[in-house]
Amino acid sequence: DSMLDIIVLIDGSHSVGKQGWKQELMFTQELVRRQEAAAKMGVLVYGGKDVSVLTPMTTDRQQLISDLTAPAFPTGYSNPHTALVKAANMMVEYGRIQGKPIVILLTDGTTHQHATTSAAQDLQAKATVHVVALGRNLNPDLPKGWATFPPAEHFHHVPFDELQLQIPNLLLLCEGEGEGEGEGEGQQYISKQMIRCINTHCICYYF
């Protein structure tokens, strides 16, 4: 079985706001809890000049959840391009040969569109990139190109005020082989659900 190597990029820019920041942390904690023991995860926080490593890639869930409990809110400018570059380097350095690399970018936009698009395209050669675009004021066409193709499977636009309600559903790991086309054929189907399968697991997005 393929093991998941996951890096989550959390937006700490000023425009996210304190409540949005808390929701991102809760979202990421829930994602950690839903992983199997073999999953290796790391968390980067971006916002301002630097990108900080909140937690290096590890299989220690308790360490990940602890680190996500109350980190400082950076309140800097939006710089997802530098976070994507750092994620690519981290995946090369700490990802496993037999691992399946996945990067999940939480973002409410960028002030460096060209640089972010270029960094995302470079990262897509090394990992599957999921983009969760946050906020009602964000133009969803802006970050859509940052996600792995097709965007229908890897790009998701969620208003901030709905993120907390959808945390249990946005990234729900479902059991199943993911080879069937309907209920009872390897996937669990629920109304208004889109399923993206990763080997023996499915990441299910609800809207």
Side-chain angles (χ1 to χ4, degrees):
D1 292 339
S2 178
M3 296 180 290
L4 303 185
D5 289 344
I6 303 172
I7 300 175
V8 182
L9 311 182
I10 300 179
D11 192 341
S13 61
H14 177 76
S15 56
V16 166
K18 290 184 178 180
Q19 186 59 35
W21 170 250
K22 290 178 181 178
Q23 291 172 346
E24 288 184 282
L25 298 177
M26 292 174 62
F27 172 87
T28 308
Q29 284 181 322
E30 184 66 19
L31 173 61
V32 171
R33 292 189 183 99
R34 293 179 183 275
Q35 301 307 311
E36 288 194 343
K40 191 175 185 181
M41 295 186 66
V43 180
L44 299 178
V45 174
Y46 66 94
K49 183 178 180 180
D50 299 320
V51 177
S52 62
V53 179
L54 187 62
T55 306
M57 292 189 72
T58 179
T59 57
D60 187 342
R61 290 190 192 179
Q62 293 305 314
Q63 181 63 52
L64 284 156
I65 291 173
S66 175
D67 290 344
L68 287 160
T69 301
F73 180 28
T75 68
Y77 61 87
S78 186
N79 59 336
H81 57 292
T82 54
L84 291 165
V85 171
K86 192 153 190 171
N89 293 336
M90 178 182 282
M91 193 65 78
V92 169
E93 185 171 358
Y94 298 106
R96 296 167 292 190
I97 295 176
Q98 72 275 34
K100 183 175 181 64
I102 298 171
V103 173
I104 300 174
L105 171 66
L106 306 180
T107 181
D108 76 338
T110 181
T111 54
H112 301 84
Q113 171 68 7
H114 178 73
T116 303
T117 300
S118 178
Q121 290 174 346
D122 289 343
L123 178 58
Q124 288 169 19
K126 303 178 178 70
T128 298
V129 181
H130 286 267
V131 176
V132 180
L134 303 168
R136 294 184 183 276
N137 296 324
L138 175 69
N139 178 359
D141 291 331
L142 185 68
K144 191 173 292 185
W146 307 342
T148 294
F149 189 86
E153 296 183 1
H154 303 99
F155 174 78
H156 322 280
H157 186 201
V158 181
F160 262 121
D161 57 2
E162 295 181 12
L163 180 59
Q164 187 170 355
L165 295 175
Q166 297 194 41
I167 286 173
N169 301 325
L170 269 169
L171 289 151
L172 172 64
L173 290 182
C174 304
E175 295 298 330
E177 294 298 327
E179 295 177 353
E181 292 298 329
E183 188 174 358
E185 296 180 335
Q187 294 182 357
Q188 178 182 339
Y189 279 77
I190 302 176
S191 177
K192 296 182 180 179
Q193 173 177 301
M194 177 179 70
I195 299 180
R196 162 67 177 169
C197 287
I198 302 176
N199 290 344
T200 58
H201 301 89
C202 302
I203 294 181
C204 309
Y205 302 89
Y206 292 64
F207 295 95

